[in-house]
Amino acid sequence: MTIRGSSSILGDTKPIWIIDGVLQEEIVNLSVADLVSGDANTLLSSAVAGLNASDIESFEILKDASATALYGARALNGVVVITTKSGKKNQKPTFNYTSEYAVRDLPRYSNYDLLNSQETVSVYREMESKGFLDLPSSFQGRYGGIYNIMYRAINNYDPISGQFELENTPEARARFLQQYELANTNWFKTLFNTTPTQTHGLSFSSGSDNSTMYASLGYYTDGGWTIADRVRRITGNLRNTFYLSDDKLKITTQLQGSIRNQLAPGTFSREEDLVNGSYTRDFDVNPFSYSLNTSRALRPKDNNGNLEYSRYNWAPFNIVDELANNGIEINVSDIKFQAQAEYKFNDNLTYNFLGSARYATSNNEHAITENSNVAAAYRSNETTIVRDQNNFLFSDPDRPNAPPRVVLPVGGILITSKNALVTYTIRNTLDWSKRFKDNLHGLRIYGGQEYRYADRNQSSNTGYGYQFDRGGTVFTDPDILKKAILEGNPYFSASETRQREVAFIANMTYDYDRKYVLNLTGNYEGSNRAGKSSQSRWLPTYTIGARWNVDKEDFIQNSNIISSLAIRPSYGLVALLADNATNNLAVFRNQITDRLNNDDRENFINIEDLQNTELTWEKTLELNLGVDVGLFNNRVMMNFDAYFKKGKDLIDLIRTTGIGGESLKLGNNSEMTTNGIEFQLNTVNIDTENFRWKTGFNISKFSQEITSLKQETNVFDLVTGTGNGNAIGYPKGALFSFQFEGLNEWGLPQFLTQQPDYDPAKPYDKIDFQDTDNVLEYLKYEGGTEPNLSGGLANSFTYKNWDFSFFISFSGGNKIRLAPTYDSEYTDLDVFPREFVNRWIVPGDENRTNVPVIASQSLIQSYGSGELRRAYSAYNYSSERVADGGFVRMKNISLGYSLDKTVIDRLGLSNVRMSLQSTNPFLIYSDSKLGGQDPEFFRSGGVAYPISRLFTFSLNVGF
């Protein structure tokens, strides 16, 4: 693979990806570093039908005016162009087999600053002394760990022996808890595997005078990094090229397809609690989150080898059992057909046609069996205390005096969803070029048209009472549908999106003596996602670029030092349509009024979005200055770029007066500037017959400022560090904090509060996560959440048939919000960071520590439960809980060996290569305050997994 241009692409948006000439909108998170480090196989094949990393012939990055010559307004932040392999003319039939075997390392508790089980139980004992973990709350509460297990044993009477399982004496209880105190369970070993992944690929290529062919078949299997995962995928790729009419006409057809089956842990959507400033999720069985957030004093099995159950959502819970009864199966089918035609009218004029069609479906089944904790939670009503607390039971508003009751008496829940995508791309272009007057003048004129069509359909259905162990028989209590509807959870949904875009492209390039080059590009694009007004829907954009090839000047050509030198200025207007641009027309939804009694409920029409006829493209004016330098016969190559961007008409929410029925409305309400520099250096340090050493280094930095923003962001978005914190004068996704002012005499956190009506007697009364008025007056700015500095260092060594390389990536300039681990109340399921050892315990500790106290029942009653919960949430989002996001990571280490040609010839093969590779082997540097939290991974639960350490063996055989 070859790279042209900088390998670090930064700015306002992600780069666009072009694969065999077609825009790939689904690829949004794949970076060039992923391609270089070998992670592309899984990422690419999951986003593009039938494409594996072994099918890639080359990729290059365009950052200058040529990026917009074909891809127009979308080329805001660079273009990554990928070309797949094809056969060669007059090539004899060639087969190539590749295989990869990769093993992921298990996460280690040594990488995370967490208390062991003995230290954790000591915290539980302190909680017990402060009025928590008593029998009623642990035995009948929503959550319970080792104390719940102990109280169940105390309450378990054996009529045969006439004794309880555990005596309720201090000595017996201490002995019982000691086995958990010494458990020190390694949940990573319980829930994670080292099962290797396997990738097998077989390709065939051949060619004659009139045609070429390339075909590949790939198989990937992953037994799962955790006991809840599994992936199997088959891919196919067939590409034929035909040369007709004495090579004037070239036709290429390509068929790609993939089938993927995947298992993932069952998960529910995360919800924001704007009142208390936290995220909640009723059920989260993510193995990584569970391992980090669950007490190591718990055990997966008891002393007899039986599964041991704690208490979660008022029901028995064992993570191993739950993952076997609560999972998501994903089936994806993806097929793409593409045809290209090129006809040369003469040596100067060429016509090109591209047509592409793609159909993809994804069918998901979230199976929550009758044996799951989720189903048990819907049926948990063993006592009146549990019955009155359990929000999974149904309180019928038509029967206000009736107690809550079970509405999922049998069976489980089957949630099915389907996503379908149909896309078409049609492009016609003419390319004319000619040189005049003894090749002194050159002119190229390029023009074309492109049409893009995309239909997306989504639907989902929630089936209650599905009996998995009885052949799928359905037994549904009608009141569970009533419960779902009353809670605003539709049991069925469907939506569709229609996207139509047209672009007209014109480009002219003139050069004088190949020294002075002028490039003019104009685009005229229209989209149905913009407003009805023609001035909004259709947008002309342009780019003016120039290039001075200084190395072709007489005063440079005879230089023994400078081999190549070029200066590249460009200026232009580029544009994008944000994904959330959906209110070009009014959006109305049929809904049902939210009233207590069912007889009072009725249909009504809700105005989801008012029409915005003037909704238009987000525009960016960009000035770019670039210099390319080659020294010593191009053994030293340097590229330098400086860019200055001014974004306007950026789409954002704005709070209105409510006239028309909508308080928040999307519109072109924001402006932002981004200025940055990029530098790349490639050197050939040693180049001899048997040994070669090459080095590549790149670095980029940018600064960003929001200059206009109509929407006032609330405190919660500003302090959580999820990238939603936007404010005038700061970069996009800024991070703010409550200003921590130490602990008070009771060990509670204090904050700098500047509201004029602040009452010291009620220190937490003004903590309002929904506040939007003048919040920057009392919040502290920490920095951006997006790195504004990034780069990498690569070295490759070749000695005879051996090759060795490593790639180091680095990033910085951002801040990270530490995981929110503090609360006013804990349970005996919780695990605590090591800093809990230094927590406030007795008066006077506020002078030695900033770790707040474990609140007692009396302290909660004194301040109020809600007030104190907000206080601890504010501490989680305070200046004390911020770390630097900069890091240096060893991204990739690779060692390869190719068999000697004489040996290959003797075996009748064309090539044999073996390699060992380690991906993400270790962090070289990160802020110690992170305490093991990966600076590139945000713990969000659900199905999110951290970056894994990967060891790969690859074999490539050609015959």
Side-chain angles (χ1 to χ4, degrees):
M1 292 185 285
T2 59
I3 301 177
R4 181 164 73 87
S6 173
S7 61
S8 59
I9 298 180
L10 294 174
D12 305 345
T13 60
K14 298 287 185 181
I16 66 172
W17 292 79
I18 307 295
I19 299 180
D20 290 329
V22 178
L23 173 69
Q24 305 293 329
E25 295 185 354
E26 285 74 21
I27 302 181
V28 293
N29 295 317
L30 183 61
S31 68
V32 175
D34 292 321
L35 283 170
V36 173
S37 64
D39 294 341
N41 189 46
T42 300
L43 293 168
L44 278 177
S45 56
S46 65
V48 184
L51 180 62
N52 292 306
S54 59
D55 291 326
I56 297 176
E57 179 72 29
S58 65
F59 74 92
E60 59 181 3
I61 302 164
L62 307 178
K63 281 287 288 180
D64 52 21
S66 60
T68 58
L70 178 59
Y71 310 113
R74 294 177 175 270
L76 174 65
N77 201 37
V79 180
V80 179
V81 180
I82 294 179
T83 303
T84 59
K85 291 180 179 178
S86 61
K88 304 294 187 294
K89 271 190 168 187
N90 299 312
Q91 177 187 10
K92 67 178 183 179
T94 302
F95 292 88
N96 197 74
Y97 170 74
T98 60
S99 64
E100 286 187 359
Y101 303 87
V103 176
R104 286 158 298 202
D105 195 14
L106 298 180
R108 295 182 175 91
Y109 277 111
S110 59
N111 294 331
Y112 302 95
D113 289 337
L114 299 177
L115 300 183
N116 61 30
S117 59
Q118 187 173 13
E119 295 165 327
T120 300
V121 173
S122 70
V123 177
Y124 294 159
R125 295 187 188 280
E126 180 182 339
M127 292 166 56
E128 184 182 12
S129 68
K130 292 184 174 181
F132 298 97
L133 304 181
D134 56 7
L135 191 149
S137 62
S138 295
F139 189 67
Q140 301 185 92
R142 182 168 186 172
Y143 305 106
I146 62 174
Y147 276 77
N148 173 266
I149 297 172
M150 180 182 69
Y151 290 133
R152 292 205 316 263
I154 291 174
N155 196 57
N156 186 20
Y157 178 74
D158 185 356
I160 297 177
S161 64
Q163 295 181 339
F164 290 91
E165 182 181 340
L166 178 66
E167 290 185 56
N168 191 10
T169 63
E171 295 78 13
R173 291 168 59 173
R175 286 194 301 271
F176 185 87
L177 291 177
Q178 187 177 28
Q179 60 183 325
Y180 298 96
E181 190 173 8
L182 301 176
N184 217 32
T185 301
N186 189 330
W187 289 110
F188 289 128
K189 285 188 176 181
T190 301
L191 302 178
F192 284 76
N193 299 313
T194 56
T195 306
T197 68
Q198 298 182 47
T199 304
H200 301 274
L202 180 64
S203 64
F204 168 79
S205 60
S206 67
S208 64
D209 287 337
N210 299 320
S211 65
T212 65
M213 176 185 178
Y214 176 84
S216 68
L217 184 66
Y219 176 71
Y220 172 81
T221 179
D222 179 1
W225 194 26
T226 76
I227 62 175
D229 300 287
R230 188 203 69 206
V231 179
R232 296 191 183 103
R233 185 183 66 246
I234 297 175
T235 59
N237 185 10
L238 177 63
R239 181 170 181 168
N240 290 279
T241 302
F242 305 93
Y243 300 87
L244 308 173
S245 301
D246 297 327
D247 288 352
K248 283 189 174 183
L249 176 62
K250 182 174 74 172
I251 297 176
T252 300
T253 61
Q254 191 168 359
L255 181 64
Q256 296 175 334
S258 67
I259 300 173
R260 174 164 54 96
N261 175 266
Q262 182 175 349
L263 296 181
T267 185
F268 290 78
S269 299
R270 186 177 67 170
E271 298 179 357
E272 293 181 351
D273 184 351
L274 290 177
V275 175
N276 296 302
S278 62
Y279 291 101
T280 60
R281 195 191 302 265
D282 286 336
F283 303 95
D284 187 3
V285 292
N286 178 296
F288 181 71
S289 295
Y290 186 88
S291 300
L292 285 184
N293 300 322
T294 301
S295 172
R296 298 184 65 188
L298 283 175
R299 305 177 302 186
K301 294 183 179 181
D302 60 20
N303 295 328
N304 298 320
N306 300 315
L307 294 179
E308 190 167 62
Y309 290 82
S310 57
R311 186 175 179 85
Y312 196 82
N313 286 319
W314 300 282
F317 180 87
N318 178 283
I319 183 62
V320 177
D321 183 51
E322 186 64 16
L323 290 174
N325 289 280
N326 183 1
I328 301 173
E329 182 174 4
I330 305 168
N331 289 286
V332 179
S333 301
D334 199 338
I335 188 167
K336 172 187 172 184
F337 176 77
Q338 184 169 314
Q340 294 174 270
E342 178 185 290
Y343 185 79
K344 293 185 177 181
F345 291 97
N346 51 49
D347 292 339
N348 305 113
L349 182 62
T350 302
Y351 165 76
N352 280 277
F353 166 82
L354 182 145
S356 173
R358 181 183 176 197
Y359 175 71
T361 61
S362 174
N363 295 291
N364 300 350
E365 286 191 356
H366 185 180
I368 307 168
T369 75
E370 46 270 88
N371 300 316
S372 67
N373 170 261
V374 179
Y378 275 87
R379 290 193 275 271
S380 184
N381 66 343
E382 65 267 28
T383 67
T384 56
I385 295 176
V386 173
R387 183 194 66 191
D388 293 338
Q389 289 180 348
N390 190 351
N391 60 291
F392 298 105
L393 304 182
F394 178 50
S395 297
D396 193 342
D398 294 329
R399 302 171 61 195
N401 295 323
R405 70 181 189 87
V406 174
V407 287
L408 187 69
V410 296
I413 304 173
L414 180 63
I415 304 173
T416 58
S417 61
K418 180 178 180 180
N419 296 270
L421 169 68
V422 178
T423 65
Y424 302 105
T425 299
I426 298 174
R427 183 187 305 133
N428 293 279
T429 62
L430 283 171
D431 191 350
W432 181 87
S433 61
K434 190 173 183 179
R435 301 205 66 81
F436 303 91
K437 294 186 178 181
D438 299 327
N439 290 327
L440 192 62
H441 302 273
L443 181 64
R444 181 192 179 194
I445 299 177
Y446 178 92
Q449 156 273 326
E450 182 174 284
Y451 172 70
R452 295 182 290 267
Y453 169 112
D455 282 356
R456 293 176 173 84
N457 293 277
Q458 298 177 325
S459 62
S460 66
N461 181 77
T462 303
Y464 298 97
Y466 187 89
Q467 300 179 83
F468 292 85
D469 60 356
R470 296 181 182 272
T473 304
V474 178
F475 185 95
T476 304
D477 187 325
D479 279 344
I480 197 168
L481 300 181
K482 186 177 179 180
K483 168 181 167 63
I485 294 170
L486 289 172
E487 292 175 349
N489 300 318
Y491 65 93
F492 172 79
S493 67
S495 64
E496 58 182 5
T497 303
R498 303 286 181 261
Q499 183 175 337
R500 308 288 184 268
E501 294 180 338
V502 178
F504 298 95
I505 310 157
N507 174 259
M508 184 189 75
T509 303
Y510 167 79
D511 74 85
Y512 176 75
D513 198 20
R514 292 188 173 90
K515 297 179 183 178
Y516 315 107
V517 183
L518 178 65
N519 187 292
L520 303 176
T521 300
N523 290 73
Y524 192 57
E525 290 200 52
S527 172
N528 67 332
R529 293 193 295 141
K532 289 181 65 177
S533 167
S534 60
Q535 292 182 343
S536 302
R537 178 161 292 189
W538 291 92
L539 179 71
T541 59
Y542 61 90
T543 302
I544 303 172
R547 182 184 181 96
W548 179 21
N549 294 316
V550 186
D551 56 311
K552 297 188 180 298
E553 299 288 355
D554 294 338
F555 60 87
I556 292 291
Q557 284 190 329
N558 296 326
S559 172
N560 294 324
I561 298 176
I562 301 177
S563 308
S564 60
L565 176 61
I567 299 174
R568 302 177 282 100
S570 66
Y571 178 80
L573 171 67
V574 292
L576 289 171
L577 261 180
D579 293 335
N580 59 352
T582 58
N583 64 325
N584 53 352
L585 295 175
V587 179
F588 302 100
R589 301 287 185 192
N590 286 318
Q591 291 185 255
I592 300 175
T593 55
D594 187 12
R595 294 173 183 162
L596 182 64
N597 296 314
N598 194 46
D599 292 342
D600 296 332
R601 294 164 68 87
E602 57 185 327
N603 290 310
F604 77 100
I605 297 177
N606 178 48
I607 305 174
E608 184 172 291
D609 283 308
L610 291 173
Q611 182 177 1
N612 191 344
T613 59
E614 304 304 316
L615 187 70
T616 188
W617 300 69
E618 297 183 318
K619 307 175 185 68
T620 299
L621 288 166
E622 178 176 356
L623 172 64
N624 187 87
L625 301 174
V627 178
D628 302 327
V629 182
L631 304 176
F632 308 111
N633 199 24
N634 286 335
R635 290 187 62 167
V636 178
M637 297 287 294
M638 293 180 287
N639 306 97
F640 176 83
D641 280 274
Y643 59 87
F644 309 88
K645 300 181 182 180
K646 181 178 182 181
K648 61 180 182 178
D649 289 334
L650 305 181
I651 295 176
D652 190 44
L653 288 169
I654 182 173
R655 191 175 302 277
T656 72
T657 59
I659 297 176
E662 187 180 22
S663 59
L664 292 175
K665 182 178 179 180
L666 278 174
N668 302 98
N669 305 310
S670 308
E671 295 182 359
M672 181 171 63
T673 61
T674 305
N675 304 322
I677 56 174
E678 296 182 353
F679 175 74
Q680 180 167 314
L681 173 66
N682 293 298
T683 63
V684 179
N685 306 311
I686 300 176
D687 191 4
T688 65
E689 182 179 355
N690 293 326
F691 181 72
R692 192 177 196 189
W693 171 25
K694 296 168 62 178
T695 298
F697 172 77
N698 71 82
I699 186 171
S700 62
K701 190 178 190 312
F702 72 90
S703 61
Q704 195 174 72
E705 180 183 354
I706 296 174
T707 57
S708 177
L709 184 69
K710 299 295 178 65
Q711 170 66 3
E712 294 182 336
T713 309
N714 63 33
V715 169
F716 188 71
D717 286 337
L718 291 170
V719 301
T720 52
T722 56
N724 297 322
N726 296 323
I728 294 177
Y730 300 94
K732 182 181 67 173
L735 177 63
F736 293 82
S737 293
F738 292 97
Q739 298 190 50
F740 179 68
E741 293 289 302
L743 305 178
N744 66 11
E745 66 274 17
W746 301 108
L748 296 176
Q750 302 178 105
F751 309 98
L752 178 62
T753 307
Q754 297 179 345
Q755 293 96 329
D757 54 349
Y758 170 70
D759 183 1
K762 299 179 179 180
Y764 309 122
D765 186 53
K766 293 301 178 181
I767 295 176
D768 184 1
F769 288 93
Q770 303 177 74
D771 190 13
T772 59
D773 296 331
N774 302 317
V775 297
L776 300 186
E777 294 182 2
Y778 61 88
L779 293 180
K780 177 187 176 184
Y781 173 64
E782 303 286 359
T785 55
E786 297 180 4
N788 66 352
L789 173 69
S790 66
L793 173 66
N795 276 275
S796 64
F797 305 86
T798 304
Y799 177 70
K800 294 185 178 180
N801 295 343
W802 292 89
D803 60 86
F804 173 76
S805 65
F806 66 86
F807 176 51
I808 298 174
S809 64
F810 60 88
S811 178
N814 65 309
K815 299 294 182 179
I816 294 177
R817 174 66 65 197
L818 298 179
T821 57
Y822 291 87
D823 205 343
S824 58
E825 297 184 48
Y826 304 99
T827 71
D828 54 338
L829 291 175
D830 291 321
V831 67
F832 308 96
R834 183 152 297 281
E835 60 199 33
F836 257 61
V837 174
N838 297 319
R839 66 188 180 274
W840 190 100
I841 298 178
V842 297
D845 284 351
E846 63 271 14
N847 298 318
R848 68 165 185 86
T849 183
N850 286 328
V851 181
V853 67
I854 296 176
S856 64
Q857 289 282 18
S858 59
L859 198 60
I860 293 175
Q861 292 174 2
S862 175
Y863 280 87
S865 176
E867 296 289 301
L868 213 55
R869 186 176 180 187
R870 287 197 298 276
Y872 279 84
S873 290
Y875 179 78
N876 285 327
Y877 301 123
S878 71
S879 53
E880 184 68 13
R881 303 290 297 166
V882 175
D884 183 73
F887 69 89
V888 180
R889 183 189 295 275
M890 179 62 72
K891 189 70 175 178
N892 181 267
I893 302 174
S894 178
L895 175 65
Y897 177 76
S898 299
L899 286 184
D900 192 77
K901 189 177 185 305
T902 56
V903 178
I904 293 175
D905 291 341
R906 193 178 304 124
L907 296 174
L909 302 174
S910 60
N911 70 279
V912 176
R913 173 177 164 77
M914 296 168 285
S915 67
L916 287 172
Q917 180 173 280
S918 175
T919 306
N920 302 313
F922 54 87
L923 272 170
I924 299 174
Y925 163 79
S926 66
D927 191 347
S928 60
K929 197 173 181 181
L930 287 169
Q933 184 175 334
D934 195 301
E936 289 188 278
F937 174 70
F938 180 74
R939 296 186 199 173
S940 58
V943 294
Y945 288 152
I947 297 172
S948 62
R949 182 184 303 171
L950 190 69
F951 303 94
T952 305
F953 170 74
S954 301
L955 173 66
N956 185 295
V957 180
F959 50 92

